[in-house]
Amino acid sequence: MRAIFFLAFIFMSASLVAAPKKPTTLMQVRVSNQKVHHSYAVQKTTDSKPQHVLVFKDGKKKAQKVPLTEGQAISLLTHARDILWERDYRRKPAAAQKTCREYAKLGATSMKPSTICYEDAPSARQTERLLNILHGLAKR
Amino acid sequence: MAKKLTPILLAALLCFLSPLAPAQQACTVCSWEVPSAPNTSADPCEDLAAYACSSTRSPISRIDVRADEIRVQALTDGVAALGYSSFGEALVGQLNQVGVELREGQNPAALQGAALAGWVTGVEFKDVKDCADNLRTSTSRAEFRMEEHIESFVKAYAAHLPSFVEGMGTFCQSMSCPMTPIELRRAAVDIYRLQGTPEYLGKARELTGQFRDILQRYYESAPGSICNDLNQQLTAATASIIRGFTDTVSASRHTIESILGEYYTSERRARAQAIFEAARSDVKDFVAVLGADAPTRAQVLEQYDNMRIHWREAPSESEYTPHQGLQVYDPGAFNPDDVYGFGLTFFTSKNATYSPGMTIGVSEHTESIDIHPVMLLEMDENPFLLLQVMAHELGHKLGPQVSRLNGHDLSPKWEELLQCFRGAGSIRMMESQKEEVISDYIAAEVMARHLAQLPKEQRLGALAAASQYSCQAEGGLPRLNHVGSHPDDYLRLSGIYGANPSLRRVLSCEKDSTKFKSCGLEDSLLDAAISSQQGEAGAPSSFDRSGGVQ
């Protein structure tokens, strides 16, 4: 009986020590169309010291994780924020679209993921650029 | 004399009449310098990818370095209009305008590298260094110049309000802030909309300055993180500012004219055109090999004659609008042909595309091949690569789906061959890869025809050179990533090109490799060329049955 308690104690303490903190998602972007189903997320883990990672998912394949420097993570987060701020707060009147064909879904910390439409050319172009940077990093 | 001349005249006449004649008569590749064959133990008949890519050590080639130099030069030409002598110096100038300074001795090239890559790394800031030095040398709290570093925060936050607002929203959940998150966002958005005007910076600093006290209180309790947090904020501001400026400069008139002028020299255009015409002539001959009926063949050949290389022209004067002291190209709607802006990344991508002719509304698009500019740098060093790429792109027109789109359905002609590529002995082609596989097959046929005109000892070197496009894509490391519209590069090289019956004959390989089954049509472009030259007019042939040169 003492051995069972001892084993239970070992398991409990091991799980307490090893329980990883849930990573914080700084930004994420998803593109899903006839050709590709890609999603990218920049995450920050704070297990010991802050570490950043790019999580790339291609369809149903296993997610790929690529370590990022802090500078890369901040730059990607800033890029996403800029696209959303530019779109929401500095939109030219002509850019207000009546229809929306989804190009991508984009989110950044403390901002809800939102749809980037093909019809919103400046946002779509910037999102395409962000996706190219993310893809380049994921494929290194 | 007359008797002697008759066969020669007859032969000359048939050469002009035969649609196959021009490609057979001229040897495009014979004047090209053929690289020596790779020095490797890999067997090209068994695994062309391993053989051809054995010397491809790095995915970053000299061409990539040159492409970067060209875009930096174009960006430098762009900022010359603003009075700067280099792009890096112009980026430093942009940061200084909002109060962000680099550490003394920091090379502006680091900023330039960040602007081209799309992320900030290796950039050190003056205020962060001052903060870190102060933190390291201070022996007491009183000695640490907290107020000075808080002032740096106020400036850094003002340089990028989105980061300030989003960051403060979280911060204010645990601290008592001078305004609610909603009030803060509203105030920040009003100022954000002023960016680019003279009053922006003053108002932004006024807003961020209202948070001095709360920042000071926070960092007095946790002084250890202040320098790193400041670095994060300055990094965010820098990333945003240099990206915006790079976008503007790379879509500016002088930059566009500079980069197009550098790539599209008349010599390069003429050379690429000659390669295009050689490949087109071969692919046109392939239409006969494919056994298309006469009306379809006539239609396809006519469309091929009208096909063009898509050379980008500089935008017209009316397409530029003034912005930040520059004339900037503004394409308006989302336009896939808009390749400017974004740090000119298009001018670093190695690719080529085929576009069918189409009419959208009142605008007409001619059927064309788009050769990305960097491919022209590749051509300078290795024309075999461009020949193979051109043949592949031209081949798309004959693909099962594209041919249907172009009004000449050739899909039944391909079905048996596709069935072979689907097989377990071949590359296990997926349905989404049909078009690319057929284009590769046609390109392999074209390459076989050209290589057959070279001396036998040069053919492997030439084929390895032509294969470099796929080697670079994979960095020489075969991966079995068997999805998407293109099969994996290993499968393309070893399973399509390396297993092509005509290429195998030209290289004197056995009929099948042990790895991949040979897939081919009953008739080949090579056979067509051989029989045409050996046949009718008794003209001297440059081919033999094994692909040897007589």
Side-chain angles (χ1 to χ4, degrees):
Chain A
M1 194 64 178
R2 272 174 64 185
I4 292 170
F5 275 126
F6 179 70
L7 279 175
F9 173 76
I10 295 281
F11 278 125
M12 279 174 66
S13 45
S15 65
L16 284 173
V17 170
K21 282 182 191 164
K22 207 178 162 195
T24 313
T25 299
L26 299 182
M27 61 82 60
Q28 58 184 319
V29 58
R30 266 202 321 271
V31 171
S32 191
N33 54 40
Q34 285 180 330
K35 273 191 170 178
V36 294
H37 300 277
H38 288 178
S39 81
Y40 304 84
V42 174
Q43 294 182 338
K44 182 179 177 180
T45 54
T46 48
D47 281 346
S48 49
K49 63 176 187 175
Q51 285 181 332
H52 298 89
V53 66
L54 170 64
V55 183
F56 168 54
K57 278 204 80 176
D58 180 359
K60 289 175 183 169
K61 284 201 281 184
K62 196 182 162 200
Q64 260 176 269
K65 291 189 175 182
V66 180
L68 297 176
T69 64
E70 186 176 60
Q72 286 171 328
I74 292 171
S75 301
L76 294 166
L77 167 63
T78 308
H79 200 156
R81 273 180 179 160
D82 282 349
I83 293 170
L84 295 170
W85 268 64
E86 190 76 33
R87 185 196 63 169
D88 291 346
Y89 304 130
R90 223 188 257 152
R91 184 197 299 277
K92 290 178 189 172
Q97 71 269 5
K98 287 176 184 162
T99 56
C100 176
R101 284 179 301 131
E102 180 179 315
Y103 173 61
K105 278 227 179 327
L106 177 67
T109 327
S110 82
M111 298 177 83
K112 285 179 195 162
S114 64
T115 304
I116 304 294
C117 311
Y118 275 103
E119 290 80 357
D120 176 8
S123 307
R125 271 203 290 265
Q126 276 295 347
T127 306
E128 185 191 32
R129 184 189 184 193
L130 175 61
L131 283 164
N132 284 336
I133 294 171
L134 289 162
H135 197 70
L137 284 166
K139 290 287 167 191
R140 270 186 313 179
Chain B
M1 188 70 171
K3 266 189 177 176
K4 272 187 173 178
L5 278 175
T6 310
I8 299 169
L9 285 171
L10 186 61
L13 186 64
L14 280 168
C15 284
F16 283 108
L17 293 177
S18 163
L20 295 178
Q24 293 157 12
Q25 292 303 305
C27 175
T28 307
V29 297
C30 293
S31 60
W32 295 351
E33 192 182 327
V34 181
S36 53
N39 182 16
T40 170
S41 59
D43 181 356
C45 295
E46 284 296 304
D47 187 346
L48 181 61
Y51 176 79
C53 305
S54 60
S55 57
T56 313
R57 297 262 174 257
S58 159
I60 307 292
S61 69
R62 265 200 324 237
I63 304 289
D64 299 308
V65 174
R66 179 71 192 122
D68 265 344
E69 286 169 0
I70 291 174
R71 67 174 172 150
V72 168
Q73 183 56 54
L75 291 165
T76 300
D77 291 344
V79 296
L82 298 172
Y84 292 107
S85 60
S86 76
F87 181 56
E89 191 191 296
L91 292 167
V92 173
Q94 294 302 304
L95 291 179
N96 290 347
Q97 279 179 24
V98 292
V100 177
E101 288 180 69
L102 299 188
R103 175 181 64 77
E104 199 184 322
Q106 167 92 70
N107 188 342
L111 214 49
Q112 185 176 286
L116 298 184
W119 61 75
V120 176
T121 194
V123 176
E124 294 174 46
F125 303 99
K126 177 183 175 295
D127 286 0
V128 176
K129 185 176 186 305
D130 289 348
C131 178
D133 287 348
N134 187 205
L135 194 63
R136 198 179 54 250
T137 55
S138 298
T139 51
S140 67
R141 282 202 171 187
E143 210 178 312
F144 184 62
R145 302 187 304 276
M146 176 68 78
E147 280 173 24
E148 183 186 316
H149 305 310
I150 295 296
E151 209 50 46
S152 298
F153 259 108
V154 169
K155 279 195 301 180
Y157 276 136
H160 193 243
L161 287 179
S163 294
F164 171 63
V165 172
E166 307 302 346
M168 274 299 160
T170 316
F171 191 71
C172 292
Q173 284 170 4
S174 55
M175 304 288 285
S176 165
C177 285
M179 53 183 87
T180 66
I182 292 171
E183 286 169 338
L184 170 62
R185 183 174 294 267
R186 201 181 299 142
V189 167
D190 283 345
I191 299 167
Y192 177 76
R193 289 157 68 95
L194 296 173
Q195 203 161 19
T197 65
E199 64 263 45
Y200 168 79
L201 201 57
K203 284 186 184 290
R205 284 189 184 166
E206 206 175 292
L207 175 69
T208 58
Q210 292 182 48
F211 288 74
R212 267 189 199 93
D213 292 346
I214 187 172
L215 284 167
Q216 182 138 356
R217 275 207 306 281
Y218 175 76
Y219 284 113
E220 271 168 358
S221 65
S225 62
I226 185 170
C227 305
N228 190 49
D229 290 355
L230 178 61
N231 188 49
Q232 287 183 10
Q233 180 56 30
L234 284 168
T235 300
T238 300
S240 179
I241 290 162
I242 66 174
R243 187 180 54 250
F245 184 68
T246 304
D247 283 358
T248 302
V249 176
S250 50
S252 72
R253 183 177 183 157
H254 291 303
T255 301
I256 292 172
E257 288 173 357
S258 168
I259 203 154
L260 290 181
E262 182 61 38
Y263 276 110
Y264 292 165
T265 61
S266 52
E267 294 82 18
R268 280 208 189 102
R269 283 171 79 131
R271 200 164 185 213
Q273 186 66 31
I275 294 174
F276 169 76
E277 280 167 17
R280 176 168 62 179
S281 172
D282 291 327
V283 177
K284 280 170 68 182
D285 291 348
F286 191 82
V287 181
V289 172
L290 200 52
D293 59 55
T296 303
R297 191 174 155 189
Q299 185 194 6
V300 174
L301 295 185
E302 190 189 340
Q303 288 180 356
Y304 265 124
D305 285 337
N306 293 327
M307 205 188 274
R308 299 281 176 265
I309 297 181
H310 175 51
W311 298 110
R312 290 194 160 70
E313 302 295 338
S316 65
E317 203 148 321
S318 62
E319 289 176 285
Y320 291 103
T321 50
H323 183 59
Q324 293 183 341
L326 296 167
Q327 290 292 313
V328 179
Y329 174 58
D330 182 2
F334 189 68
N335 173 4
D337 203 31
D338 170 25
V339 296
Y340 311 108
F342 311 146
L344 301 171
T345 47
F346 172 78
F347 292 86
T348 62
S349 72
K350 290 177 193 166
N351 208 348
T353 51
Y354 157 80
S355 306
M358 62 180 96
T359 306
I360 302 169
V362 290
S363 62
E364 269 189 46
H365 179 85
T366 311
E367 192 170 20
S368 60
I369 304 291
D370 188 350
I371 302 293
H372 289 203
V374 183
M375 299 299 283
L376 300 176
L377 297 183
E378 293 280 0
M379 175 190 72
D380 290 349
E381 295 201 357
N382 176 8
F384 290 98
L385 183 153
L386 192 65
L387 177 64
Q388 185 162 307
V389 168
M390 285 273 199
H392 171 97
E393 298 308 332
L394 283 153
H396 271 304
K397 181 175 175 55
L398 305 179
Q401 284 174 35
V402 179
S403 63
R404 218 175 298 150
L405 185 73
N406 282 327
H408 46 261
D409 185 1
L410 296 170
S411 55
K413 303 281 179 196
W414 294 118
E415 199 36 55
E416 205 177 315
L417 180 64
L418 289 170
Q419 198 54 36
C420 181
F421 283 120
R422 284 183 192 107
S426 180
I427 61 165
R428 294 174 186 267
M429 181 198 75
M430 293 163 73
E431 288 311 294
S432 62
Q433 298 170 334
K434 280 194 297 195
E435 301 298 312
E436 298 298 338
V437 168
I438 291 300
S439 279
D440 277 347
Y441 174 74
I442 294 170
E445 288 285 299
V446 169
M447 290 313 292
R449 190 184 213 185
H450 284 282
L451 297 191
Q453 293 178 291
L454 288 174
K456 277 186 174 172
E457 65 276 13
Q458 291 191 342
R459 294 175 189 172
L460 277 172
L463 183 59
S467 306
Q468 289 309 302
Y469 180 73
S470 296
C471 295
Q472 286 171 16
E474 286 301 318
L477 296 171
R479 274 186 311 109
L480 278 167
N481 179 21
H482 191 179
V483 292
S485 57
H486 292 85
D488 179 80
D489 286 296
Y490 163 55
L491 297 175
R492 292 179 75 183
L493 281 181
S494 296
I496 303 177
Y497 286 93
N500 178 273
S502 303
L503 267 176
R504 293 185 71 79
R505 267 170 54 199
V506 168
L507 300 177
S508 306
C509 298
E510 297 289 319
K511 186 173 169 290
D512 285 303
S513 76
T514 55
K515 288 188 171 185
F516 294 101
K517 184 184 175 189
S518 290
C519 294
L521 296 173
E522 202 170 307
D523 297 320
S524 74
L525 194 56
L526 188 63
D527 281 330
I530 293 166
S531 59
S532 171
Q533 281 214 349
Q534 281 184 337
E536 307 130 22
S541 172
S542 58
F543 302 97
D544 66 18
R545 272 273 157 195
S546 64
V549 177
Q550 288 186 336

